[in-house]
Amino acid sequence: MITKPTRQRALHGLKPARPTPRVANSVEHQATLAWRLTPRDKWIIRMLHEHRVLTASQITACAFPSFRSGRQRLRELFQWSVLDRFQPAIVLGTAPMHYVLGPAGAAVLAGEYGLDVKDLGYRRDRTMSISHHQRLAHTVGVNEWFTALISRAHYHPEETLRVWWSETRFARHFGDLVRPDAYGRWRTASGETEFFLEFDLSTETVARVARKLHGYAHLATATAITTPVLVWLPTGRREVTVRRQLHRTWRDLDQPHLVPVATAAADHLNPDTSHPSPAEPIWASLAATAGDVRYPLHDLADVWNLPAPSTVNDPAAGVTPPGVLPPPMPMPPPRQPRRVSR
């Protein structure tokens, strides 16, 4: 849950998986999937290829009318080898099932773009290795941040998450300058806000978090585009400490106005609301050192008097390198009438 992010130190290996019969990933099975998979299923496949891992809770909140229907469909996709899954063991409670791209799903995705599976860079062992990765909690936390926005957009038709780039995708373009945890664009009736996300779980030193501003300053100079940097922190106490160091670094930049920064913390969200999300009025501009005034996500561009993002500078409209798929649309396709699996 976005209000109570799981820390890496809370993960203790994997829970034993129950034996579940699965369909072999044969050519005949892939042909069968051509009529079994819905547009929503293919959206899930693309999102897992882009963002590596999504929990059952994240997928169902984004794409299904209920957790029960989502759990049933994800189970079917797992049995068809479209998805793989694992469940981390945690200290307290039960972790949700975590889903990654399966071999049949990779074959379907490659076939849609006229590629071989190897052209996607897919290997099942490499994909499943995230279950043991030291950044698993961080990756799931970043994805929770964005899926909370997607979930909110379902209940606010005038709002939508238009772009969501993974760290890996952005690094292919500008990794020599900076590697944000994600890049996004949030659109409302009043306009569109683009941003880089720095997602902090208190695993890095405060000084290291602040030093990243130099990379964003170099990027702004190289591209002539001013893009806000949003720093998300687990607690208000951590936010106070980080803001202090961020401000020292930010004011020493040659052109601080090229790097607008805002901070927010997970415990500023109201956990009792039905759909807590980063779109709420919890963001404090770094220029206001006290951080007393907080704004919703869609108002930040006005706080810094930034122009609306131009489609000319839209990364999603850029040239995609050979073998790299275009970024998936963050919002799932419209819900289709139920299809009966044969």
Side-chain angles (χ1 to χ4, degrees):
M1 188 174 181
I2 191 172
T3 54
K4 295 180 180 179
T6 300
R7 310 297 181 89
Q8 189 69 34
R9 61 176 177 269
L11 304 180
H12 293 270
L14 303 178
K15 294 188 67 174
R18 294 181 179 179
T20 304
R22 303 182 71 189
V23 179
N25 182 33
S26 63
V27 174
E28 292 77 12
H29 174 56
Q30 293 171 20
T32 302
L33 291 177
W35 55 264
R36 278 187 168 179
L37 296 182
T38 66
R40 180 176 57 190
D41 298 333
K42 293 180 180 180
W43 175 83
I44 294 171
I45 290 171
R46 294 188 188 98
M47 292 292 281
L48 287 174
H49 176 66
E50 175 78 11
H51 303 294
R52 300 191 66 187
V53 58
L54 292 168
T55 68
S57 303
Q58 292 167 355
I59 296 173
T60 54
C62 291
F64 291 89
S66 69
F67 182 78
R68 180 178 178 181
S69 63
R71 181 178 60 182
Q72 176 61 32
R73 188 57 176 178
L74 290 174
R75 184 173 184 272
E76 291 175 344
L77 294 176
F78 170 71
Q79 291 176 320
W80 297 340
S81 298
V82 173
L83 308 181
D84 274 324
R85 68 185 184 185
F86 62 90
Q87 187 175 23
I90 58 177
V91 177
L92 297 175
T94 303
M97 196 67 72
H98 289 48
Y99 285 88
V100 298
L101 187 60
V108 169
L109 186 60
E112 283 192 343
Y113 289 91
L115 302 172
D116 292 328
V117 172
K118 64 180 181 180
D119 296 329
L120 295 179
Y122 175 84
R123 276 179 37 190
R124 186 166 184 259
D125 58 342
R126 185 182 301 163
T127 300
M128 286 296 292
S129 69
I130 195 172
S131 62
H132 302 282
H133 201 284
Q134 291 301 308
R135 283 171 58 88
L136 173 61
H138 182 272
T139 302
V140 171
V142 172
N143 295 348
E144 178 71 23
W145 196 95
F146 278 91
T147 53
L149 288 177
I150 296 173
S151 179
R152 173 188 171 90
H154 289 314
Y155 300 90
H156 298 80
E158 73 284 0
E159 301 178 353
T160 184
L161 181 63
R162 203 177 70 77
V163 177
W164 173 15
W165 275 26
S166 66
E167 175 185 0
T168 301
R169 180 174 296 276
F170 194 88
R172 291 192 185 103
H173 292 263
F174 304 106
D176 56 330
L177 296 175
V178 67
R179 296 174 64 99
D181 292 318
Y183 166 82
R185 287 193 173 197
W186 178 245
R187 176 182 291 173
T188 67
S190 60
E192 187 170 306
T193 301
E194 65 176 342
F195 54 85
F196 298 120
L197 176 67
E198 286 291 340
F199 188 89
D200 178 79
L201 283 177
S202 303
T203 55
E204 295 181 318
T205 64
V206 175
R208 184 175 180 181
V209 174
R211 283 197 299 269
K212 295 180 181 181
L213 296 187
H214 293 288
Y216 287 110
H218 294 320
L219 179 64
T221 302
T223 61
I225 302 174
T226 300
T227 304
V229 179
L230 307 185
V231 182
W232 182 263
L233 301 135
T235 65
R237 182 176 180 180
R238 171 77 169 175
E239 183 186 14
V240 171
T241 304
V242 171
R243 279 181 65 87
R244 190 179 301 119
Q245 184 63 48
L246 281 173
H247 192 266
R248 292 195 193 104
T249 303
W250 176 78
R251 70 186 181 189
D252 290 337
L253 297 176
D254 293 336
Q255 301 183 77
H257 65 280
L258 295 181
V259 189
V261 181
T263 64
D267 58 8
H268 291 319
L269 293 168
N270 182 0
D272 297 325
T273 59
S274 55
H275 304 284
S277 79
E280 296 177 17
I282 55 175
W283 294 97
S285 170
L286 194 64
T289 54
D292 294 331
V293 181
R294 295 188 179 267
Y295 302 91
L297 180 58
H298 67 269
D299 279 349
L300 289 177
D302 293 335
V303 171
W304 295 305
N305 295 317
L306 297 178
S310 169
T311 55
V312 175
N313 296 326
D314 188 350
V319 177
T320 303
V324 177
L325 303 188
M329 293 299 297
M331 301 301 299
R335 292 169 183 165
Q336 302 292 323
R338 179 175 175 80
R339 296 172 59 181
V340 178
S341 300
R342 287 181 268 174

